[in-house]
Amino acid sequence: MDGLNDLKMEKLADELKRGALHPRNLIQQCNKQVDRIESAINALNRETFDRAVARIDEWQYDPARPFSGIPYVQKDNICTTGIATDCSSMILQGFVPPYAATVDARALQAGFRLIGKSNMDEFSMGSSTEYSAWGPTMNPWDTGRVPGGSSGGSAAAVASGMAPLAFGSDTGGSVRQPAAFCGCVGLRPTYGRVSRWGLIAFASSLDQIGPITNTVRDAAHALMVIEGPDEFDSTLVQRPKENYFETIENGMSDLRVGVLDVSFADWVDTRVKESFEKNVAWFDGHAKSLQEISIKSFDMILAAYYIIAPAEVSSNLARFDGIQYGPSVDLKEEGKEVDENTAADLMDFYRKNRGQGFGPEVTRRIMLGTFALSSGYYDAYYQRAQKVRSRLRAEMDKLWTDVDVIISPTSPTPPFMLESATVDPYEMYQADRFVLMQAMAGCPAISVNGGWTEIDDDGVTKLVKSKRRNCFGKYTKRLPIGLQLTTAPFMEGNLLRAARTFEREHV
Amino acid sequence: MKLKESDMPQITDDVIARVIELARLDPLAPGMAMHKHHLSRILEHFKVLSKVTVEGIDPTIHINPTPISLRDDKVLNWLSQEEALANTRVRTDEFFRAPSIHDEGD
């Protein structure tokens, strides 16, 4: 391991197979990297290296489980048996799940070794990992900047060489945007491809679990581990696993590419536009055809998403009241006065536990969602937002008859400075503008690195040709810019093939 | 049908107070005044929804057209009582403990 982005699952699996590497040494290397940089990055809510090396001396290479022994990081909203899972929230502090999420169980069955739970925006609500009760995660490429969110801890862990694989959850871009900000690959599978069992719900009609890795091939391997039928998620489309490696290296000369026109958008950073134009030019030479597309509902998506998702939040988070799990205020004792740490009655108990347990963004979204669902406002906001969602889905279904892949930037800006977007929540929401339509329409999408931009003390300055391979200790002032590819639902084969073709010539 | 922006409901202090009550949040919690301000500003932006034509469009119920699949209705070995109670801070013997829902005079 000699630098950022050097931990690749396939490469490590090959070394394990050849006997050139033992999982014990690999996990020790990851542990050293965590010890070296975690205090500056804050990617992990807790480390589980002790568990990762349990019975490691008995490990033997097993061709049926080629990734056995490889470390991974799990987002802290995905349940892990016997390991605290708190969604970076005070209200779940100390919660230890008695069962594992399907995704985690499958990773463990495949032999992966869990080394930690990653930091995140509280209950996945945020785009910078600053809304964590345990403090923000920093971007490994520039610790004055955010890693994106909400799966910022997962992306930072992979980008900084803590592990070759981390899982995140993507409700409205929470895997893809942090992957873009950290120079990684982030995959959001089709809604219904990966079981949500054991994922602590944010917005159930939008949530999907996806991998963050350093290569597209690793993302494909990880998807093949976690996908497939699961009787515990009734919204899962019961399909057998696919083998993406039958086609992943076949190029994309048969794929029609649609380009989302961003030239008009004054909210897109010029360096992002410049990077995207270069990416478009590359696709022009490699795809079957290239055509500009526009999505009529595009300007409505942000508003519709930020009505629908908070509405589901207000319902899903209603159960957090301090009774079954998490800290709580004391019950009033007879003859004693009520204060801020004591509840007078049941309603007071709910109010105080939820008031003290939820952070600002979660509180805001609960309020927003409660408002949208309340009598008198339901039709104008929630119902209307769900109709906009139907309109978007129909529009995109029609689009898939003309193109096979849509490309767009992942984020309107490069990674932004810490604390620069938390003053005005609406500013933060705008960071999600390219990653919401996939979530709303149930489409799979992937973010890969689309370029690098150099920064100076005044901020972003100019595009540079490639990253300098470096570890965190040899800091270089370059920031990644993400490129996003999207396909029709359940067309991950095409998605991974196109992304791999691009990656092969760019990374 | 398109709505006029002026047709979109206005956010008043009474509305905010009702939302806080419905959501079981603490009106005295720090930052609540800031949330009111942000909520008003966010909803002002979301009036853009009034401009979209949605006549004849059904709201999304489920994003995938495939039917929801249910597992067999059978008894499984699930959490023990101790496991279910393991994460609570306040318990009485084998029960969760919570404030009474009855007034003292009941």
Side-chain angles (χ1 to χ4, degrees):
Chain A
M1 179 174 16
D2 56 0
L4 287 174
N5 291 55
D6 275 355
L7 278 183
K8 299 179 177 71
M9 280 165 46
E10 273 193 334
K11 185 180 164 199
L12 294 169
D14 182 56
E15 289 180 19
L16 292 171
K17 180 181 177 183
R18 289 188 286 108
L21 181 68
H22 191 279
R24 185 195 316 103
N25 305 91
L26 174 59
I27 293 166
Q28 281 171 352
Q29 281 182 21
C30 292
N31 200 345
K32 278 184 189 168
Q33 180 74 342
V34 170
D35 288 346
R36 195 164 71 88
I37 63 172
E38 171 60 5
S39 61
I41 301 287
N42 194 32
L44 302 178
N45 284 351
R46 60 200 60 81
E47 298 169 24
T48 57
F49 284 102
D50 288 349
R51 283 182 181 239
V53 295
R55 300 171 69 182
I56 198 80
D57 291 335
E58 296 169 23
W59 177 88
Q60 286 187 323
Y61 181 75
D62 176 359
R65 301 193 307 159
F67 299 109
S68 174
I70 289 181
Y72 76 106
V73 166
Q74 193 65 276
K75 189 174 178 180
D76 212 11
N77 61 347
I78 297 174
C79 287
T80 43
T81 310
I83 300 168
T85 299
D86 61 31
C87 294
S88 291
S89 178
M90 290 288 289
I91 208 162
L92 270 181
Q93 187 176 19
F95 171 65
V96 180
Y99 68 101
T102 297
V103 162
D104 198 64
R106 287 182 179 173
L108 293 172
Q109 282 160 11
F112 286 94
R113 300 264 173 160
L114 179 67
I115 62 159
K117 300 297 294 283
S118 60
N119 199 6
M120 54 185 281
D121 286 296
E122 184 180 3
F123 283 103
S124 299
M125 295 175 212
S127 307
S128 65
T129 315
E130 293 173 286
Y131 291 122
S132 163
W134 321 131
T137 296
M138 274 58 78
N139 192 311
W141 296 100
D142 177 356
T143 53
R145 291 172 189 269
V146 305
S150 65
S151 309
S154 291
V158 172
S160 62
M162 293 181 185
L165 167 67
F167 291 103
S169 61
D170 188 314
T171 305
S174 285
V175 162
R176 292 162 286 154
Q177 187 252 22
F181 275 19
C182 291
C184 304
V185 172
L187 171 65
R188 176 195 167 89
T190 305
Y191 182 86
R193 182 182 281 281
V194 173
S195 171
R196 293 184 294 110
W197 170 253
L199 169 67
I200 297 175
F202 161 10
S204 308
S205 79
L206 298 155
D207 295 340
Q208 268 294 278
I209 297 172
I212 296 175
T213 58
N214 281 315
T215 70
V216 173
R217 288 180 63 92
D218 282 359
H221 283 299
L223 179 60
M224 287 168 62
V225 168
I226 61 174
E227 70 177 359
D230 179 22
E231 64 174 355
F232 291 111
D233 179 357
S234 62
T235 61
L236 197 69
V237 177
Q238 305 291 337
R239 301 163 60 102
K241 288 175 181 283
E242 293 189 35
N243 182 0
Y244 303 108
F245 289 90
E246 288 176 354
T247 57
I248 199 166
E249 298 293 346
N250 287 359
M252 55 178 300
S253 58
D254 60 325
L255 298 179
R256 301 161 300 165
V257 171
V259 181
L260 192 66
D261 181 16
V262 298
S263 59
F264 64 92
D266 58 6
W267 43 270
V268 180
D269 184 279
T270 52
R271 266 68 53 166
V272 172
K273 283 184 183 177
E274 202 180 318
S275 172
F276 185 58
E277 283 167 17
K278 289 185 178 180
N279 296 156
V280 170
W282 181 89
F283 278 97
D284 198 16
H286 292 79
K288 181 180 181 183
S289 63
L290 198 75
Q291 70 179 83
E292 213 163 76
I293 60 150
S294 63
I295 294 166
K296 287 178 187 165
S297 307
F298 191 82
D299 288 339
M300 306 293 161
I301 298 171
L302 183 78
Y305 171 86
Y306 275 101
I307 292 293
I308 292 168
E312 296 186 31
V313 166
S314 76
S315 172
N316 279 329
L317 271 60
R319 63 196 160 119
F320 298 111
D321 54 19
I323 293 175
Q324 290 166 289
Y325 21 63
S328 65
V329 297
D330 290 324
L331 311 184
K332 181 182 175 297
E333 289 180 32
E334 203 168 324
K336 289 195 175 177
E337 292 293 310
V338 172
D339 60 19
E340 63 179 10
N341 296 314
T342 315
D345 53 31
L346 185 65
M347 291 304 290
D348 197 33
F349 190 74
Y350 288 157
R351 280 193 294 263
K352 283 179 176 158
N353 286 336
R354 289 165 66 80
Q356 293 172 19
F358 291 133
E361 183 59 21
V362 172
T363 301
R364 199 152 38 231
R365 294 201 199 186
I366 290 173
M367 290 173 72
L368 188 54
T370 305
F371 167 81
L373 290 176
S374 61
S375 173
Y377 307 99
Y378 180 90
D379 287 348
Y381 287 97
Y382 183 74
Q383 176 103 317
R384 205 166 182 82
Q386 288 289 21
K387 289 183 177 181
V388 169
R389 190 178 188 184
S390 295
R391 202 176 101 142
L392 170 70
R393 175 66 189 247
E395 203 180 333
M396 291 194 73
D397 283 349
K398 190 164 178 286
L399 205 54
W400 299 127
T401 61
D402 298 325
V403 299
D404 301 301
V405 182
I406 296 173
I407 57 171
S408 69
T410 309
S411 167
T413 68
F416 46 85
M417 301 297 290
L418 286 158
E419 298 182 0
S420 65
T422 48
V423 178
D424 181 353
Y426 188 72
E427 290 299 314
M428 180 80 83
Y429 298 170
Q430 302 225 54
D432 301 338
R433 290 183 78 151
F434 287 122
V435 287
L436 297 179
M437 68 178 187
Q438 299 81 2
M440 291 282 276
C443 299
I446 192 168
S447 180
V448 296
N449 181 254
W452 293 82
T453 184
E454 202 168 66
I455 53 171
D456 62 17
D457 292 340
D458 296 324
V460 178
T461 56
K462 62 181 180 182
L463 283 178
V464 289
K465 280 187 180 173
S466 64
K467 65 175 178 171
R468 190 190 307 163
R469 292 171 69 85
N470 203 343
C471 65
F472 177 61
K474 298 170 187 172
Y475 168 65
T476 176
K477 286 190 170 181
R478 293 177 185 211
L479 297 172
I481 294 178
L483 169 72
Q484 182 175 228
L485 296 86
T486 303
T487 60
F490 297 104
M491 298 304 285
E492 276 88 341
N494 283 348
L495 182 73
L496 291 162
R497 180 156 63 95
R500 170 62 186 147
T501 309
F502 177 83
E503 176 192 67
R504 205 163 46 206
E505 296 196 19
H506 285 82
V507 179
Chain B
M1 182 180 86
K2 287 185 185 178
L3 293 174
K4 291 178 192 166
E5 279 195 20
S6 57
D7 293 336
M8 297 297 268
Q10 298 300 303
I11 311 304
T12 63
D13 282 352
D14 287 346
V15 170
I16 295 289
R18 177 72 180 138
V19 163
I20 290 170
E21 185 188 359
L22 283 170
R24 307 287 190 257
L25 294 170
D26 185 355
L28 303 176
M32 209 42 101
M34 185 183 66
H35 294 324
K36 289 178 190 173
H37 166 72
H38 285 148
L39 200 62
S40 296
R41 180 167 144 69
I42 290 164
L43 289 168
E44 191 64 32
H45 284 288
F46 290 0
K47 285 182 176 175
V48 69
L49 286 174
S50 65
K51 295 178 181 170
V52 67
T53 303
V54 291
E55 200 168 353
I57 299 176
D58 291 329
T60 298
I61 303 297
H62 194 283
I63 200 63
N64 282 328
T66 48
I68 285 185
S69 57
L70 299 176
R71 63 177 180 269
D72 293 341
D73 185 13
K74 60 187 179 189
V75 176
L76 299 174
N77 288 327
W78 209 230
L79 297 183
S80 66
Q81 194 170 35
E82 268 312 306
E83 285 173 322
L85 286 161
N87 281 292
T88 189
R89 178 174 166 258
V90 190
R91 60 182 281 189
T92 301
D93 300 328
E94 68 271 37
F95 300 107
F96 293 108
R97 188 163 167 238
S100 168
I101 57 170
H102 297 290
D103 291 334
E104 286 176 4
D106 288 349

